[in-house]
Amino acid sequence: MNIDGVISNVNLNLARKWRSKSFDQIIGQELSVRILKNSLYLNQFFPVYLFSGQRGCGKTSTARIFAAAVNCVNLPEFQKNPKNCVLPCLECASCRAILEGNHPDFIEIDAASNTGVDNVRQIIESSSFMPLIGIKKIYLVDEAHMLSKAAFNAFLKIMEEPPESVIFILATTNSQKIIETVKSRSLQLFFGSVENSRLEAHLKDICEKEKISHDNSGISAIVSESQGSVRDALNILEQVRFSASSVTKISVQNILGHIDDDSLIALFECLLNFGVKDLLNCIKTFKYELFSPQYLWKKIIDLTRDAIWIKHGVLPNDSVEYCEKINKIIKKVSFERLNYIMLLFYENESIFVKTTEKHSMLECLFIQITKKNDVSNKSGASSAPNKVSSAPEYDDLIEYVDEDAQECGPKIGSVNNLGAGQDLQASYYSEEIINPQEFKKEPSLISKNNLNKNEKILKEAIKDSCEIKSKEHEIWCDFIASLGSVSDPLLNSIFSSGEFVSFDRFSGILEVKFAKKFSFFQDSITEKEKLWMPILQKLYSQDITFKPSFTGDDKVSVNRTSAIRISNLEKSLGSSVNSDSISKSSKNIGSGAGSSGNYPGSYSDFKKNNSYAYGKAKSKTVDLSKSYAGKSIDVSDVATWKKANTILKYFSGNIVEFQNN
Ligand SMILES: [Zn+2]
């Protein structure tokens, strides 16, 4: 009776039918196989083997083959002449018993359903009996990580002094969960995911033997979905075989709920270049809800990642046609925008995993992305192309790609026609578009009603002191001024110390630099986001990703701005302010650090008033005292802060620095 004879009377699925039965049939895993073969050749066996690795990579099959080899009648022959001897022979009584699953000395235990300590005690008891037909009794504990801690501890005993005739094989997909004491007593073999080319060859081989009609693209589609797992690949192959007459890319995509590549690229183009209406039309056209949202999620990230590569002149894969398509789509798209899309997906990943309405959630994200196209199309879209063309690598790539693209340029499905509706589209949304210019003309829009006279004066002082470089920078200054409407002096002080770095309209990323010493206020900024973020978003009229960095020089901009501001405040308010407590700071512009030794009391005051310290500042007592000795004092010094607070009671505004003397 041959092997096929054994199993031909049962209809096995492909994964079981084509399970490896000898070392040669194991796909990949060369190192593990070599170690086991050497162990057999030298007749030296470890009492415990630990096979770890991802699912469907051959751990259980290898364990069975090894068990068969250990008890095979050919073993002595193999040890004399390893090259010309087949091991396991698969023909002797022992080998056949293992193939049929009824070998008395090979015991398979599924730890997932036998997790308790009693099961392990049973194993330990039975292991003391001699093997019946083989030379070793072999226990295969599958999913070993599922064993309870008590069970593991019970195992430890027998692992320390195992009977000569027993071998344990623990197989696990999660070796992290195997306790260290067990690991250290076992020989650990790793089973990695199988290389794509090996898996492809294996699938093609099976298709030919099973007479399954197939083409290369179909096989590749299966392989790329199986993530190196032979079993997963065979299971997909089986599903496709029963659902279609041939294994092609389309039949595989249908089974897996995957959208075809052309529709996917059309969707990607919509996201980057068209408006919300076009996007919704596109989604409607390809019956979006029929496809796996997880796959769409992954694919859009993949496409964006590839686009970033192409933008930097590196081709992400060998398909020139694919790279051409992507390159055409991203011509007018900045790197920042692509990066924004990546971040948007990653930021929402945990929600996406949890939600039951994955399609809707994905659609929301898509709309959020395309809505920016509406805004930029409407406002003239002047900044984006400039940004793009300044990247030299990108230009080079366009040159390289365009030569071919003119002749065989890909036609991208239905979406190319969508551009026509764009004007209509833009007007559709025009009501929602808030022109930032309007804010510029009237920066006090938000706080108009509650701006009192003093706030206005402070605001002017701040505006005067800001070096205005761009509209975005100007809006930032407006924001600082508008913070007067939020009665939070700490927030005011922190923000007005910030130095505008950059703002990107497309990604919405606003970068602001603060002095290093303000880094412990970072939490305060985040905690109070509800107070200031709406103002910021309203002024910039879009969603903002606020990126503070605390890398600034301790003196940069902070003192300069505030010094001017306070001297203006002093001028404007005259004697109504207690001028003793506000320094004659104008003399210190740009050279605050030079005035040393003027604050002998600051450290002791700070300690005395420790209970007054704000949040994390409290724990930084020593650092503060060191860095502040002999320097101008800012709000993080509590002694001064008390006085500052008194002033702020009367004048809601921003004080960042003043001197004590
Ligand atoms: Zn045999």
Side-chain angles (χ1 to χ4, degrees):
M1 204 198 317
N2 63 19
I3 321 312
D4 289 323
V6 173
I7 53 178
S8 61
N9 50 357
V10 192
N11 277 327
L12 292 174
N13 64 25
L14 287 178
R16 278 189 69 191
K17 186 171 176 185
W18 294 97
R19 190 188 263 284
S20 326
K21 292 172 194 79
S22 66
F23 286 117
D24 303 337
Q25 290 173 2
I26 295 171
I27 315 292
Q29 323 306 350
E30 283 80 4
L31 184 62
S32 297
V33 168
R34 201 190 313 151
I35 290 170
L36 292 174
K37 274 183 153 180
N38 279 334
S39 179
L40 289 162
Y41 172 65
L42 299 168
N43 205 29
Q44 288 178 358
F45 302 106
F46 264 76
V48 186
Y49 291 83
L50 175 59
F51 290 4
S52 63
Q54 77 162 81
R55 65 185 195 283
C57 285
K59 295 184 296 296
T60 313
S61 303
T62 308
R64 286 179 188 165
I65 295 165
F66 182 61
V70 169
N71 285 323
C72 179
V73 291
N74 269 8
L75 181 63
E77 181 63 32
F78 175 80
Q79 285 163 353
K80 277 182 223 153
N81 187 5
K83 280 189 181 153
N84 297 318
C85 174
V86 179
L87 189 80
C89 73
L90 302 178
E91 280 170 1
C92 70
S94 168
C95 286
R96 283 216 313 275
I98 284 196
L99 285 172
E100 287 165 23
N102 55 16
H103 198 293
D105 301 323
F106 177 62
I107 300 108
E108 277 193 60
I109 301 143
D110 178 18
S113 50
N114 301 282
T115 55
V117 66
D118 290 342
N119 300 110
V120 175
R121 288 212 182 102
Q122 254 176 356
I123 296 170
I124 293 167
E125 249 170 60
S126 72
S127 69
S128 58
F129 300 112
M130 290 304 285
L132 291 173
I133 60 171
I135 51 166
K136 296 253 185 201
K137 223 174 169 137
I138 295 162
Y139 289 87
L140 167 61
V141 184
D142 217 349
E143 307 294 340
H145 60 274
M146 303 287 273
L147 287 177
S148 67
K149 206 175 174 190
F152 266 127
N153 284 327
F155 241 128
L156 271 180
K157 273 188 188 170
I158 196 163
M159 284 171 79
E160 275 165 2
E161 285 171 63
E164 270 282 300
S165 57
V166 173
I167 292 177
F168 286 106
I169 302 174
L170 309 179
T172 177
T173 47
N174 192 347
S175 64
Q176 305 278 341
K177 284 194 181 162
I178 306 287
I179 58 172
E180 285 301 323
T181 35
V182 170
K183 270 191 202 169
S184 68
R185 284 174 174 83
S186 51
L187 177 70
Q188 194 170 357
L189 300 181
F190 295 98
F191 289 72
S193 53
V194 179
E195 240 175 82
N196 282 359
S197 56
R198 297 288 300 275
L199 199 47
E200 267 176 37
H202 183 54
L203 289 188
K204 280 179 194 166
D205 186 42
I206 288 176
C207 281
E208 258 141 50
K209 286 178 180 153
E210 290 280 334
K211 299 193 172 60
I212 301 172
S213 157
H214 65 281
D215 66 17
N216 286 344
S217 69
I219 298 293
S220 306
I222 293 177
V223 168
S224 69
E225 182 62 21
S226 352
Q227 294 172 326
S229 163
V230 182
R231 187 170 58 225
D232 286 6
L234 288 176
N235 285 341
I236 298 171
L237 178 65
E238 185 125 59
Q239 288 179 52
V240 179
R241 172 205 206 182
F242 288 130
S243 69
S245 57
S246 177
V247 179
T248 62
K249 190 167 185 177
I250 291 169
S251 61
V252 174
Q253 281 172 335
N254 285 341
I255 275 291
L256 298 171
H258 290 181
I259 177 175
D260 66 279
D261 289 355
D262 283 346
S263 301
L264 190 71
I265 288 180
L267 173 69
F268 189 56
E269 185 173 21
C270 258
L271 287 180
L272 293 175
N273 295 330
F274 299 117
V276 178
K277 192 179 175 188
D278 300 319
L279 169 82
L280 296 177
N281 275 329
C282 179
I283 283 177
K284 197 176 165 190
T285 310
F286 73 71
K287 297 196 176 72
Y288 163 80
E289 62 285 347
L290 297 180
F291 299 107
S292 149
Q294 287 90 343
Y295 181 75
L296 278 169
W297 177 280
K298 182 179 172 292
K299 277 312 215 184
I300 294 293
I301 291 178
D302 287 351
L303 276 169
T304 315
R305 182 174 167 267
D306 288 350
I308 290 173
W309 279 48
I310 291 171
K311 198 148 217 43
H312 289 87
V314 185
L315 300 186
N317 60 40
D318 294 337
S319 166
V320 176
E321 194 197 2
Y322 167 80
C323 294
E324 276 171 10
K325 280 185 188 175
I326 302 295
N327 189 42
K328 266 192 158 182
I329 293 171
I330 59 169
K331 262 185 186 172
K332 288 183 180 171
V333 182
S334 68
F335 161 72
E336 283 77 12
R337 181 144 164 70
L338 294 170
N339 211 32
Y340 157 77
I341 294 173
M342 288 291 251
L343 290 173
L344 185 70
F345 275 85
Y346 287 128
E347 276 165 11
N348 289 288
E349 193 173 17
S350 56
I351 308 172
F352 180 75
V353 171
K354 283 179 203 152
T355 181
T356 50
E357 296 291 331
K358 292 195 187 335
H359 281 105
S360 307
M361 157 129 199
L362 205 52
E363 198 175 296
C364 283
L365 290 182
F366 289 168
I367 289 174
Q368 200 173 330
I369 295 167
T370 39
K371 198 146 190 211
K372 285 192 193 294
N373 300 340
D374 285 339
V375 174
S376 62
N377 287 347
K378 180 73 183 170
S379 64
S382 55
S383 56
N386 290 343
K387 259 184 201 166
V388 171
S389 61
S390 66
E393 306 94 326
Y394 177 65
D395 280 345
D396 292 346
L397 189 77
I398 289 179
E399 256 180 63
Y400 149 72
V401 172
D402 269 0
E403 279 169 26
D404 300 330
Q406 278 163 3
E407 283 166 36
C408 59
K411 301 274 179 284
I412 296 165
S414 55
V415 179
N416 278 347
N417 310 327
L418 294 172
Q422 225 164 302
D423 288 341
L424 185 71
Q425 167 65 24
S427 61
Y428 207 83
Y429 281 91
S430 59
E431 280 174 10
E432 289 172 53
I433 297 162
I434 303 159
N435 188 349
Q437 298 288 332
E438 284 166 20
F439 278 97
K440 206 195 75 174
K441 280 179 210 151
E442 202 178 352
S444 55
L445 206 62
I446 292 159
S447 53
K448 196 157 57 179
N449 297 329
N450 50 9
L451 257 190
N452 62 30
K453 189 187 160 202
N454 293 337
E455 280 174 332
K456 274 183 187 163
I457 295 166
L458 267 173
K459 197 185 74 188
E460 287 309 311
I462 293 161
K463 282 199 82 170
D464 289 349
S465 63
C466 279
E467 282 177 44
I468 289 154
K469 285 168 188 163
S470 65
K471 280 174 203 165
E472 275 74 23
H473 191 165
E474 208 171 325
I475 297 174
W476 171 253
C477 294
D478 290 345
F479 166 67
I480 301 290
S482 303
L483 271 181
S485 64
V486 179
S487 51
D488 190 318
L490 180 66
L491 207 56
N492 273 325
S493 305
I494 298 168
F495 271 114
S496 48
S497 73
E499 193 184 347
F500 175 87
V501 178
S502 69
F503 175 69
D504 182 69
R505 272 275 165 214
F506 287 93
S507 61
I509 293 174
L510 171 65
E511 288 184 55
V512 176
K513 189 161 83 177
F514 295 92
K516 270 182 223 151
K517 65 185 176 189
F518 279 99
S519 58
F520 55 87
F521 282 128
Q522 190 163 9
D523 289 347
S524 305
I525 299 180
T526 317
E527 278 164 19
K528 294 177 178 173
E529 195 177 294
K530 275 185 192 157
L531 289 176
W532 55 266
M533 187 51 106
I535 304 178
L536 200 58
Q537 288 182 340
K538 216 164 186 182
L539 285 173
Y540 279 100
S541 61
Q542 69 177 80
D543 287 345
I544 301 285
T545 309
F546 185 66
K547 284 205 167 167
S549 62
F550 295 87
T551 53
D553 187 342
D554 282 359
K555 280 288 150 192
V556 165
S557 92
V558 176
N559 296 329
R560 189 179 179 282
T561 310
S562 56
I564 301 172
R565 194 185 314 146
I566 289 171
S567 75
N568 282 359
L569 179 71
E570 214 173 355
K571 257 186 265 163
S572 314
L573 302 178
S575 57
S576 68
V577 183
N578 177 4
S579 52
D580 283 348
S581 60
I582 297 182
S583 75
K584 291 140 193 154
S585 55
S586 47
K587 72 175 182 199
N588 271 332
I589 294 175
S591 61
S595 51
S596 60
N598 291 333
Y599 319 105
S602 63
Y603 182 36
S604 54
D605 280 358
F606 187 85
K607 277 169 88 175
K608 238 183 280 166
N609 293 315
N610 218 4
S611 61
Y612 201 83
Y614 265 78
K616 289 193 172 175
K618 203 170 175 179
S619 60
K620 292 216 171 187
T621 311
V622 180
D623 290 341
L624 274 176
S625 65
K626 274 180 192 162
S627 63
Y628 282 71
K631 282 186 179 179
S632 299
I633 304 300
D634 73 358
V635 292
S636 43
D637 179 286
V638 172
T640 318
W641 174 245
K642 229 174 178 178
K643 290 176 187 170
N645 230 4
T646 317
I647 298 168
L648 285 163
K649 259 187 205 166
Y650 299 101
F651 306 101
S652 51
N654 315 274
I655 295 178
V656 178
E657 177 211 13
F658 63 79
Q659 294 176 2
N660 254 346
N661 51 346

